[in-house]
Amino acid sequence: MATAMPPTVCWAQTRAGPAVRLIDQTLLPGELVLKDCYVLEEVCEAIKSLRVRGAPAIGCSAALGVALAVYTSGADSTSELISVVEAAAEQLAATRPTAVNLFWALERMRQLAQQSTDLPPEDFRQVLLEEAQGIVDDDLDRCRRIGQHGVELIAKGANILTHCNAGALATAGYGTALGVIRAAHQQSKDIHVWVDETRPLLQGARLTAWELEQEGIPCTVICDSAAASLMQAGQVDCVVVGADRITANGDVANKIGTYAIAVAAARHEVPFYVAAPLSTLDFSLASGQEIPIEQRSSEEVCYLAGRVADPICPEGADVYNPAFDVTPAELIAAIITEVGVARQPLAASLAGLSSEDSSAGCCSSS
Ligand code: MRU
């Protein structure tokens, strides 16, 4: 029987004080545990260690983290609280470099703080919390709309391949790539999902398969290295993935391994779709070559599920562990957003769609 899923991340009033409450995704699928972060440093640690992860969910957590910083600060003037916001934004911005939603959300919080200098401290705290909660609610709504647009691209009986986790766990709920898949399932399209396990941290096997099982959506976990041969065998009708950052020309940064899938999909004429909210657009960057790619620790590659007693590499092996790669726009059939589907040429199509919504491509970031 399916476990009711709590929000990926939310604000909580606990006996010990206000907290940012999140599902600790490092413990899934074994245990569904909620972690309450009572201080900003715990929110930063949760983002860095991937307790909360996925571009939109990182943005939501960062916004709530800023609110937590002002609620836990003893400052009794609004000018001091503005300094607290600036310092919190700086700390949060240093957690992970690739997902632009983090910087987008921080910019929204900073701008609101700068516009609220006239408010007394308690009202200032309140408006910042409302803004953070608004970012969370809005993300859920946008994911549902992505699902509604994307479902039109999914044929009845389709075998869909996805990589990493772009589901409810990676957003405020519902998901982007999994939002499209959920919507197709809800419309009884009789779909089946191939789930890439997604080495090294197994977001596909641990999180996507768990989410799909909760929903009763038929799925099969595969090793990442099995994807191309499944396409060769005609077993994949389309690929749907999420995104961490989309540049002005339509290049897409997403979980490492996404590019290899896009190359294989092009070879086998399988449509490759990206699903993402407009908050993932970064029009300040001309192309994907400018996207900062996070490098993570060698331990993630050398030990399975953190089992340090049981290394899978010789001790001291040199390891290269980029968390993301960039798929060039030319390999992408369409980008599904909450305001519609961008098609080739993606640069013009994305610019047109984003002009319909003020949240698009708004921030410059590291
Ligand atoms: O390192 P992660 O787990 O944060 O990477 C997540 C991804 O690459 C997702 O595909 C992306 O953030 C989109 S989530 C809707």
Side-chain angles (χ1 to χ4, degrees), residues 50 53-56 58 96 163-166 170-171 176 203 242-244 254-255 324:
L50 274 60
R53 38 119 339 254
I58 292 171
R96 296 192 74 188
H163 189 69
C164 193
N165 172 267
T171 59
T176 57
Q203 289 94 329
D244 286 84
N254 191 49
K255 179 53 57 194
F324 302 97

Side-chain angles (χ1 to χ4, degrees), residues 32 60 103 136 152 169 215 232 268 320:
L32 179 57
C60 293
F103 308 100
V136 177
E152 304 298 329
L169 290 165
E215 293 272 326
Q232 188 181 42
H268 298 291
Y320 170 58

